[in-house]
């Protein structure tokens, strides 16, 4: 195995500015975003009354992934996340494949979040608003990661306040009925697994902490603390929201809802809360988009450093200490996609890519030694099995498209390697 990367002395080194609270907030901003506003309904359509079981399964897989990622990030505190871990522990190809899955899947997620903002803010001009949101948040990221962390704190505070208002209003209303939480015969094993895969989309943000490894102070201590804290807070929030919404709407009405949290507030008699939720949803999407652009650009930076992407994208701005060219390219690609396509149906595709990414992370963690901080062997094993099971339990179109994209990435790698060998 090669030694953990050390960027000291490199001209394109990123500056370590983020502490534990900053890292936790970036993770929360990635997870507590538009997913909780959008993912409950399709998950309920898949799982029916087994929705909460699906949420629990997604949380267990997310915990295994987070634990594996935290141990690896402490050992390899460089930008790129699982792209770096796969390369160092399993070989160059697996690192490349993880990076490919992350960049492609999360670029689609960025466009989906931007379009979510547009559909709430100005439905008639959703594409134009989406592009404006991408441009604005790319500019924020360009001026420094500390400003991104500050804006993320504000977004997280607003979204948590909205979600807390929904939970409290629904819970104290007479419309809530605990009987609606019971699991009935409509819940199937396959449906619950598919719901877990869809809900995993809303849990995937802790990767952003790992991909920022080069910008975190004392990463060996900070990252293993920040990831489980962010995941634990997110799980508690999601569980409270899912239980409250399900208790007032029931699985069938939830499955048919286009705006579950707003419908839950309306059913609970809290009409005043409906416009608040409709404002909170685009703010949540903006928070997710901010963190997504941040994470995708860092993985692009890492792949460019190794020349799997154009090396010019590896540049770091001398003043702002950010991968400015990678951020501009990612922002431009997302803006083009958001302007020309409706990607809100891309949750399944994005989930497939992210689950493939974490499968590589768990396989990498399996190779750690006790001296390197290896977690209990059951954790990476369960994480790997869970990622594969959830990926192929997704809707067939999402699984087939995701597998095709991974195969295309592998083919590009093979051609490039063959050309390199031929030249030498």
């Amino acid at each position: 195995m090669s030694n953990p990367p050390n960027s000291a002395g490199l001209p394109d080194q990123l500056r370590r500015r983020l502490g534990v609270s900053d890292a936790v907030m970036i993770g929360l901003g990635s997870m507590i975003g538009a997913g909780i506003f959008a993912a409950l309904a399709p998950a309920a359509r898949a799982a029916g009354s087994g929705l909460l079981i699906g949420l629990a399964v997604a949380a267990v897989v997310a915990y295994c992934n987070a634990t594996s990622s935290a141990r690896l990030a402490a050992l390899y505190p460089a930008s790129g996340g699982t792209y770096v871990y796969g390369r160092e522990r399993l070989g160059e190809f697996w690192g490349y494949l993880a990076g490919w899955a992350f960049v492609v899947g999360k670029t689609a997620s960025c466009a989906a979040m931007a379009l979510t903002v547009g559909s709430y803010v100005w439905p008639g001009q959703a594409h134009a608003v989406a592009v404006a949101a991408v441009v604005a948040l790319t500019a924020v990221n360009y001026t420094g990661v500390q400003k991104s962390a500050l804006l993320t704190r504000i977004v997280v505070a607003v979204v948590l306040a909205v979600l807390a208002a929904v939970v409290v209003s629904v819970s104290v209303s007479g419309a809530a009925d605990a009987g609606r939480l019971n699991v009935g015969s409509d819940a199937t094993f396959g449906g619950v697994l598919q719901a877990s895969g869809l809900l995993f989309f809303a849990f995937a943000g802790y990767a952003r902490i790992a991909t920022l490894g080069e910008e975190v102070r004392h990463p060996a201590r900070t990252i293993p603390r920040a990831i489980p804290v962010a995941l634990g807070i997110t799980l508690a929030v999601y569980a409270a929201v899912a239980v409250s919404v399900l208790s007032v709407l029931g699985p069938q009405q939830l499955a048919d809802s286009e705006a579950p949290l707003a419908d839950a507030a309306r059913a609970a008699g809290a009409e005043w809360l409906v416009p608040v939720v409709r404002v909170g949803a685009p703010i949540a999407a903006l928070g997710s988009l901010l963190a997504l652009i941040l994470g995708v650009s860092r993985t692009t930076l890492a792949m460019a450093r190794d020349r799997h992407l154009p090396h010019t994208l590896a540049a770091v701005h001398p003043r702002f200490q950010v991968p400015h060219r990678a951020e501009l390219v990612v922002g431009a690609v997302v803006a083009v996609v958001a302007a020309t396509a409706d990607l809100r149906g891309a949750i399944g595709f994005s989930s497939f890519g992210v689950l493939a990414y974490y499968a590589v992370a768990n396989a990498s963690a399996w190779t750690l030694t006790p001296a390197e901080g290896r977690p209990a062997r059951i954790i990476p094993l369960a994480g790997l099995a869970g990622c594969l099971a959830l990926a192929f339990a997704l809707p067939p179109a999402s699984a087939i498209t995701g597998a095709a994209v991974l195969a295309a990435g592998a083919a590009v790698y093979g051609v490039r390697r063959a050309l390199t060998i031929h030249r030498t």
Side-chain angles (χ1 to χ4, degrees), residues 106-391:
K106 286 305 183 179
T107 297
S109 288
C110 287
M113 292 301 98
L115 285 164
T116 300
V117 175
S119 66
Y120 274 94
V121 172
W122 194 355
Q125 297 292 332
H127 291 285
V129 174
V131 172
V134 172
V135 171
L137 294 188
T138 300
V140 170
N141 280 338
Y142 190 98
T143 57
V145 71
Q146 284 183 312
K147 292 184 178 65
S148 300
L150 175 61
L151 184 55
T152 300
R153 286 176 185 270
I154 297 171
V155 170
V156 168
V158 171
V159 174
L160 285 177
V162 172
L163 295 178
V166 171
V167 170
V168 172
S169 298
V170 169
S171 299
V172 301
S173 73
D177 180 3
R180 296 191 178 102
L181 304 178
N182 295 333
V183 179
S185 59
D186 62 322
T188 64
F189 179 76
V192 168
L193 276 187
Q194 186 174 116
S196 298
L198 294 169
L199 288 167
F200 187 82
F201 172 81
F203 275 111
Y206 49 82
R208 228 66 70 246
I209 300 173
T211 57
L212 293 171
E214 199 172 316
E215 295 161 270
V216 173
R217 295 194 302 268
H218 311 298
R221 295 200 309 270
T222 298
I223 294 174
R225 291 177 184 176
I227 288 179
V229 169
L231 181 61
I233 293 172
T234 300
L235 175 59
V237 171
Y238 283 3
V241 172
V243 167
S244 62
V245 171
L246 194 59
S247 70
V248 75
L249 293 180
Q252 187 57 54
Q253 192 176 347
L254 174 56
D256 295 336
S257 174
E258 293 185 2
L261 273 66
D263 288 345
R266 189 177 290 111
E271 287 288 345
W272 64 272
L273 192 53
V274 175
V276 175
V277 171
R278 292 196 174 277
V279 170
I283 291 176
L286 284 170
S288 293
L289 178 58
L290 178 70
L292 280 166
I293 293 174
L294 205 63
V296 174
S297 63
R298 269 54 180 184
T299 301
T300 300
L301 165 72
M303 295 182 75
R305 282 174 170 170
D306 292 339
R307 301 183 185 276
H308 290 306
L309 292 173
H311 190 62
T312 185
L313 299 181
V316 174
H317 196 282
R319 176 184 173 190
F320 298 123
Q321 291 295 300
V322 297
H324 57 298
R325 291 177 184 170
E327 287 185 343
L328 290 175
V329 169
V330 169
V333 171
V334 172
V336 169
V337 176
T340 57
D342 181 358
L343 291 181
R344 282 178 292 176
I347 288 178
F349 171 76
S350 177
S351 292
F352 188 95
V354 174
L355 286 163
Y357 174 86
Y358 282 116
V360 175
N362 283 298
S364 301
W366 175 267
T367 70
L368 293 174
T369 65
E372 292 173 319
R374 184 182 70 200
R377 277 297 178 91
I378 187 63
I379 290 177
L381 181 62
L384 176 59
C387 285
L388 295 177
L390 296 190

Side-chain angles (χ1 to χ4, degrees), residues 34-52:
I36 192 61
F37 290 89
L40 285 177
R45 282 194 290 273
S49 58
L51 174 66
L52 296 180

